[in-house]
Amino acid sequence: MSLSINLTINGQLRDITLDDPRVTLLDLLRERLDLTGTKKGCDRGQCGACTVLVNGRRMNSCLALTASLDGAVITTIEGLADGDTLHPLQSAFIEHDGFQCGFCTPGQIMSAAGLIAEAQAGDDPERIRELMSGNICRCGAYQGITEAVQQAQREMIARNRKDAA
Amino acid sequence: MKRFDYVRPSSIAEAVSAAALPGSAILGAGTNLLDMMKIGSAQPERLVDITRLPGLDGIDWLPDGSVEIGALVRNADLAYDERFARRFPSVAEALLSGASPQLRNAATAGGNVMQHTRCAYFHDLSSACNRRSPGSGCDALNGENRLHAVLGWSEHCIATHPSDFCVPLVALDAVVEIEGHKGRRELALEALHLLPGNTPEVESALMPGELIVALRLPAEAADFASHTRYLKLRERTSYAFAVVSAAAALVVDAGVVQSARLALGGVAAKPWRARRAEDALTGKPASPEAFAEAARLALADAKPSGHNAFKIELARRIVVRALTEAATGTPERTIPLPGSVFTTQAGSNHVA
């Protein structure tokens, strides 16, 4: 049984042929498209390392069946920077030491991108922590992560205001 | 993961036919099903992907004031829908207290209702489990069972239903709209999940092939909007299932309870409506004594199923707390840690 679907991944439209319906979005990205920035931590939806944006919303790619996503627009950590210019979240994570080993970082950053788009947290660190609770950092860099999300969000809001003006 | 056939029906009738075939499982977001398929506690031969079915992803307000929540509405979309959250704040609070933001963005309303117990013995294929494999026994009875049921369990199964969402829904008389071979039927959500009895493998009242297409809340459920809470005790502050939880909803006039709703989560194989407690509250002053009596009645039939006698007292306390908070009034804005018992007022920190 072979399935053909289309996905737009980091701005590029791709035809995907699946010889096996079991392929998760995470395994598609890592094993078949060589996009290994997205990490496989628990593979059970518990750690958040595999977080990507699906149609602009953060989701666990380990629990998404590729076959079901025909037509979806996917953004991974590889698609976040603008050429050589880092995304504000990427810069802020570096500036605030939002990681040590770095394994959870792509998932943290994609989750933070989703959080900022959802616009439910404001600048409240308590709400940011709660809304980042789907991403586990075993190095315990949570303080830096929270500060990085706050800073990036402020920058992005300021930039949007400037663009709108 | 075992191989399966993948089918994507284009109509509800096609979906019902495909789902009725032996070995079929319905795929929504898959956040529970795929997880189970990876570890083998679900091994469907056929996945029926309903995510492209038209008309199942809306929040529809009906002329009589009731609201129909399509089975494919994502948890986050429902919780953040302003009109919905204003009318049914404890439902929004329950949704936001469950899972993680990533899961809430994916998981559907129908899937939340149909999720399976998180009993470890149900998911561990080397353990005996009557729910997964009828007649094999129940290893939970003599195992790690401190989080298992204290109400409605039997010697054949002591699992709990893990949903937060379902708890206020049951309190507010939600109805499940179901499509099957014989057309559409409706069922009170309270009657959907079954207690284990002698047949724990029969988890719900759905017949083979039947598909939940919507959940409906009656207009009267919004009468409680100004005095309702969902409170949940977890073993960590966020992103954990309930040890115990309670949805409380009151209509209070001049300090007297005119009408009360109460349901508990984490205590049984179904969301547990506490009608005797509701009746006892009606007409009484909204007082600590009345709330304590309601809690006593709600847990009057509770029995430990293992090392979990503590849950009975915890459940009584969370009932009192939820009723007290409901009587105080629904917060204007969802609190930073929705459902948390560690947040006592809007804006307060959970870490002192």
Side-chain angles (χ1 to χ4, degrees):
Chain A
M1 175 176 174
S2 174
L3 282 164
S4 285
I5 64 162
N6 289 310
L7 292 176
T8 302
I9 300 175
N10 298 332
Q12 193 187 345
L13 182 65
R14 307 185 70 146
D15 297 324
I16 312 275
T17 302
L18 294 172
D19 53 356
D20 186 331
R22 292 175 292 185
V23 181
T24 60
L25 176 59
L26 174 61
D27 286 341
L28 176 86
L29 293 169
R30 290 184 55 83
E31 308 295 334
R32 299 178 179 226
L33 302 178
D34 207 23
L35 289 166
T36 53
T38 305
K39 302 304 181 201
K40 183 183 276 194
C42 69
D43 206 26
R44 303 279 308 274
Q46 296 178 4
C47 76
C50 69
T51 304
V52 300
L53 302 184
V54 177
N55 299 324
R57 299 156 65 101
R58 52 180 163 157
M59 291 187 189
N60 301 111
S61 61
C62 72
L63 291 182
L65 198 65
T66 304
S68 185
L69 294 175
D70 194 5
V73 176
I74 313 289
T75 308
T76 72
I77 190 72
E78 289 92 342
L80 211 55
D82 179 11
D84 287 336
T85 308
L86 293 181
H87 185 277
L89 272 165
Q90 291 171 311
S91 311
F93 266 68
I94 294 169
E95 201 172 312
H96 290 274
D97 283 335
F99 52 87
Q100 284 183 36
C101 82
F103 187 84
C104 73
T105 312
Q108 297 279 1
I109 289 178
M110 296 315 293
S111 187
L115 177 153
I116 291 169
E118 288 157 16
Q120 294 291 339
D123 196 40
D124 180 351
E126 192 72 4
R127 288 181 193 272
I128 290 172
R129 273 194 285 276
E130 161 62 11
L131 292 174
M132 288 296 288
S133 68
N135 292 81
I136 291 171
C137 169
R138 62 150 294 174
C139 302
Y142 294 111
Q143 181 62 23
I145 291 169
T146 306
E147 289 167 7
V149 176
Q150 282 181 295
Q151 178 182 311
Q153 182 169 249
R154 283 186 213 121
E155 280 177 20
M156 289 165 73
I157 290 170
R159 190 187 294 180
N160 284 344
R161 284 212 186 102
K162 218 164 130 192
D163 289 348
Chain B
M1 193 189 295
K2 199 180 132 194
R3 273 193 97 103
F4 54 83
D5 288 336
Y6 172 81
V7 295
R8 197 191 289 161
S10 53
S11 69
I12 287 173
E14 269 180 52
V16 167
S17 294
L21 297 171
S24 286
I26 291 168
L27 176 72
T31 52
N32 187 209
L33 181 60
L34 281 182
D35 188 20
M36 290 176 60
M37 288 165 68
K38 287 181 185 190
I39 57 172
S41 54
Q43 300 189 14
E45 287 163 27
R46 186 179 309 96
L47 285 193
V48 181
D49 183 351
I50 62 165
T51 58
R52 305 302 168 110
L53 291 183
L56 300 187
D57 61 353
I59 302 168
D60 296 323
W61 297 89
L62 306 182
D64 69 351
S66 61
V67 62
E68 211 170 41
I69 305 155
L72 292 177
V73 173
R74 312 285 169 160
N75 285 193
D77 291 338
L78 186 59
Y80 290 134
D81 184 277
E82 212 166 297
R83 186 173 177 189
F84 182 85
R86 204 159 278 283
R87 300 270 183 104
F88 311 109
S90 52
V91 181
E93 186 169 25
L95 283 166
L96 292 175
S97 77
S100 68
Q102 289 96 318
L103 290 168
R104 295 195 294 266
N105 275 345
T108 63
N112 186 307
V113 170
M114 291 306 292
Q115 68 181 303
H116 290 274
T117 181
R118 295 318 197 272
C119 173
Y121 300 95
F122 174 77
H123 294 285
D124 173 28
L125 299 189
S126 62
S127 294
C129 172
N130 289 319
R131 184 172 286 259
R132 169 170 40 76
S133 179
S136 63
C138 172
D139 277 347
L141 269 178
N142 293 302
E144 285 280 339
N145 52 23
R146 57 185 294 279
L147 296 177
H148 283 72
V150 293
L151 281 163
W153 54 273
S154 77
E155 61 188 4
H156 303 291
C157 182
I158 59 172
T160 59
H161 192 263
S163 171
D164 295 302
F165 181 44
C166 288
V167 180
L169 286 183
V170 158
L172 296 173
D173 282 338
V175 170
V176 189
E177 299 178 6
I178 300 162
E179 284 276 356
H181 275 305
K182 293 177 186 161
R184 187 170 283 229
R185 71 175 175 119
E186 293 187 349
L187 188 67
L189 178 61
E190 195 186 358
L192 180 72
H193 303 98
L194 303 180
L195 291 176
N198 294 323
T199 55
E201 73 278 11
V202 187
E203 297 185 283
S204 85
L206 291 187
M207 305 299 285
E210 280 192 323
L211 178 68
I212 293 177
V213 291
L215 304 167
R216 197 177 67 240
L217 275 167
E220 307 82 66
D223 294 348
F224 300 97
S226 62
H227 291 86
T228 185
R229 290 300 302 274
Y230 177 74
L231 287 187
K232 168 178 178 182
L233 186 74
R234 294 163 260 199
E235 292 202 316
R236 59 183 179 195
T237 323
S238 180
Y239 195 14
F241 291 103
V243 177
V244 293
S245 71
L250 300 171
V251 175
V252 186
D253 185 31
V256 176
V257 176
Q258 306 297 315
S259 181
R261 299 290 178 82
L262 182 66
L264 290 145
V267 295
K270 61 185 288 183
W272 192 268
R273 180 89 179 255
R275 289 179 191 276
R276 277 167 68 197
E278 293 174 3
D279 293 344
L281 282 165
T282 308
K284 299 271 169 35
S287 64
E289 295 74 24
F291 297 158
E293 175 62 6
R296 190 188 69 75
L297 287 168
L299 278 302
D301 297 330
K303 275 194 317 248
S305 59
H307 302 127
N308 57 2
F310 76 99
K311 282 182 65 165
I312 300 171
E313 178 58 20
L314 268 188
R316 284 192 201 107
R317 292 183 188 190
I318 207 160
V319 164
V320 171
R321 184 87 169 260
L323 286 167
T324 307
E325 297 277 324
T328 305
T330 309
E332 183 51 33
R333 190 184 169 200
T334 312
I335 57 175
L337 279 165
S340 174
V341 294
F342 296 109
T343 309
T344 53
Q345 46 186 283
S348 67
N349 289 340
H350 72 285
V351 180

